[in-house]
Amino acid sequence: MAETQLANLLALLTPADIVTPESPEYEEQSRTWAVQANKHPQVVVTPKSVEALSRVVSYANTTDLNIGIRCTGIGNATSRDILISLSAFKSFQFDPHEETVTFGSGHCWGEIDQKLEENAPGYASVSARCTYVGVGGSILHGGQSWLSSEYGLACDPKNLIDVQVVKMDGTNVWASEEPELLWALRGGGGGFGVATAFKMRVYKYPSSIFCGQIVYAPDALKDIARETAAFASRCSDAKMALHLYCLDMTAGTYAGKEPKPGLAIFVYDANGPEHGRSKDGFKWALDIPGAVDLTKTLNFRGVNQQFDASRAPFGKINTWAAGVTVPAVDENLILRAWDWYLALLKKDPKLVMGTYVLMEVMQKAVYQSLGFPSLVSAWPHTRNQHNLQLGTGVIPGSPESDALAYKAMAEGPYEIHPGHIGADYFLNFIENFIDLKKVK
């Protein structure tokens, strides 16, 4: 029966819409961020129009076929039978009067940054903080941005105005026609239909942003912990943000070098370079002994391009992640994170290429722009203010390392942040150890 259903579904498309394992583009169209997540679909289909997609979705919903939806980007969307790729949905329109953009769900955010730069210079969207994240997955699961400290999440009603959706019966609607559907799409995930286009607010934004890494040796840890915690507690400037990393500073295996655990701060100041280097900006970080200053002045698109090298593990390693919100980034949290990082690498040095700790220092508006508690959108808002992200992984072929990596992600948030509860996960990182009923 499954073979007949598959054949019937493919008959709804043209040969140009069908990608098989023998096709040269199959690997790119079916690749998952984590190797172990890939179910190697029998076929990837790339419908070129909403009408073709509607036919596929309508029929697929009547079959026993395993179906997945991929909006592009770097997620783990996959399936055993049919993977529907939205890579052909590349429409883009800027409305200068409404100050909105309407764009297809087949974009990555780097493409949107580029098109805004070309068609709406001086504007920025509440996008991801790197170029290679797909628009669909990020928006539908909340959407955190450099702009979020000022304008909230991408899915907030003032930012996400409308979504074009193919529903499971194949009908095509703009979600504003069905308010409950639009509510669900604002941060509730992608299980309510297939999003084909988004209409979002864009904002006039500075084009001279002070940003980049400041790198440190491990012996600067105590100074970094003290000064970063002080910054996190005092800063209320919506145009400033900070990321603190514990990771392999040489890119280890990827660069063919011996791993070198270290620390880095990525600073972001949209007030410009003069402010960024001042005592009101990040002078404190530059003054920490041993600091290596790699900062630059870039526009918004250029800032996001600084993270392109982070795409290197895509589809190369078995990897797991855990992302939680925390109320504060204090000295003890930073010190525990570093100890956890080193302890994991000591248990299994093979994990060095995939292991990192990332603490994102943000402003309250990111999660509380709608107040708390808030039922205005489906995204589970929180009183917490900052993010703690953990990741680890290893080249496929080591079951013991896989088991340790999974265990580390399940237990890591509790070890680093003892006040962590199951409600504090954010939905971009969903693994089997997370009880979704507790997330809020």
Side-chain angles (χ1 to χ4, degrees), residues 20-359:
T20 67
E22 293 72 36
S23 304
E25 64 268 38
Y26 176 83
E27 196 277 334
E28 182 65 25
Q29 287 280 11
S30 63
R31 183 166 36 154
T32 53
W33 177 262
V35 170
Q36 82 278 2
N38 197 333
K39 297 178 181 177
H40 306 287
Q42 293 188 59
V43 181
V44 180
V45 298
T46 60
K48 305 298 190 292
S49 68
V50 171
E51 292 74 22
L53 176 63
S54 296
R55 292 194 298 270
V56 170
V57 170
S58 176
Y59 178 72
N61 198 42
T62 68
T63 72
D64 300 318
L65 297 171
N66 183 242
I67 305 293
I69 309 292
R70 179 178 180 177
C71 293
T72 69
I74 56 163
N76 286 331
T78 189
S79 70
R80 293 187 303 275
D81 297 323
I82 297 286
L83 181 61
I84 301 173
S85 169
L86 303 178
S87 58
F89 289 80
K90 299 283 192 180
S91 62
F92 180 91
Q93 183 178 6
F94 170 60
D95 186 325
H97 302 292
E98 289 190 344
E99 295 186 308
T100 62
V101 287
T102 304
F103 51 88
S105 58
H107 288 93
C108 287
W109 278 115
E111 297 172 290
I112 299 299
D113 288 345
Q114 179 179 350
K115 291 180 179 181
L116 275 172
E117 190 175 275
E118 294 169 350
N119 297 281
Y123 282 89
S125 61
V126 184
S127 65
R129 289 161 294 191
C130 59
T131 62
Y132 50 80
V133 169
V135 299
S138 63
I139 294 171
L140 296 174
H141 290 88
Q144 300 168 20
S145 170
W146 297 116
L147 275 68
S148 289
S149 287
E150 193 165 359
Y151 300 111
L153 298 172
C155 72
D156 286 352
K158 66 180 178 182
N159 297 320
L160 180 57
I161 298 168
D162 212 345
V163 185
Q164 187 182 41
V165 181
V166 173
K167 299 196 293 185
M168 291 300 103
D169 62 0
T171 56
N172 171 37
V173 300
W174 281 95
S176 57
E177 301 169 16
E178 301 183 17
E180 290 185 354
L181 175 60
L182 183 56
W183 179 90
L185 293 169
R186 285 175 167 154
F192 305 98
V194 182
T196 57
F198 300 91
K199 183 177 182 180
M200 292 192 68
R201 186 83 57 201
V202 290
Y203 299 94
K204 292 180 179 178
Y205 202 72
S207 58
S208 182
I209 301 169
F210 178 72
C211 67
Q213 282 194 346
I214 306 171
V215 179
Y216 308 89
D219 57 12
L221 172 64
K222 289 186 178 180
D223 289 336
I224 293 169
R226 181 185 66 253
E227 297 300 328
T228 300
F231 171 82
S233 67
R234 72 173 179 266
C235 182
S236 59
D237 189 329
K239 284 188 164 58
M240 296 178 66
L242 175 153
H243 290 180
L244 172 60
Y245 295 89
C246 309
L247 74 172
D248 173 19
M249 303 309 297
T250 65
T253 305
Y254 294 123
K257 301 176 183 179
E258 288 296 315
K260 185 179 179 181
L263 300 118
I265 292 175
F266 188 95
V267 298
Y268 178 92
D269 191 341
N271 297 297
E274 183 176 351
H275 186 275
R277 292 186 175 277
S278 74
K279 64 179 180 59
D280 295 322
F282 292 101
K283 184 178 185 297
W284 61 268
L286 296 165
D287 286 347
I288 292 175
V292 178
D293 181 4
L294 303 177
T295 59
K296 303 176 181 180
T297 301
L298 299 169
N299 64 10
F300 188 74
R301 179 187 175 197
V303 174
N304 290 336
Q305 289 174 329
Q306 296 300 292
F307 295 89
D308 283 355
S310 301
R311 191 178 184 271
F314 185 16
K316 295 181 180 178
I317 63 176
N318 290 347
T319 182
W320 293 265
V324 301
T325 60
V326 295
V329 173
D330 58 28
E331 289 186 63
N332 289 331
L333 182 78
I334 296 169
L335 296 174
R336 284 193 298 266
W338 179 251
D339 289 344
W340 176 89
Y341 173 72
L342 293 183
L344 180 58
L345 299 188
K346 185 176 181 180
K347 290 177 183 176
D348 190 344
K350 292 194 292 293
L351 295 177
V352 68
M353 69 184 302
T355 300
Y356 66 88
V357 178
L358 166 59
M359 281 162 275

Side-chain angles (χ1 to χ4, degrees), residues 4-20:
T4 300
Q5 292 175 343
L6 179 59
N8 290 341
L9 187 148
L10 297 180
L12 301 172
L13 299 161
T14 69
D17 299 332
I18 299 170
V19 178
T20 67

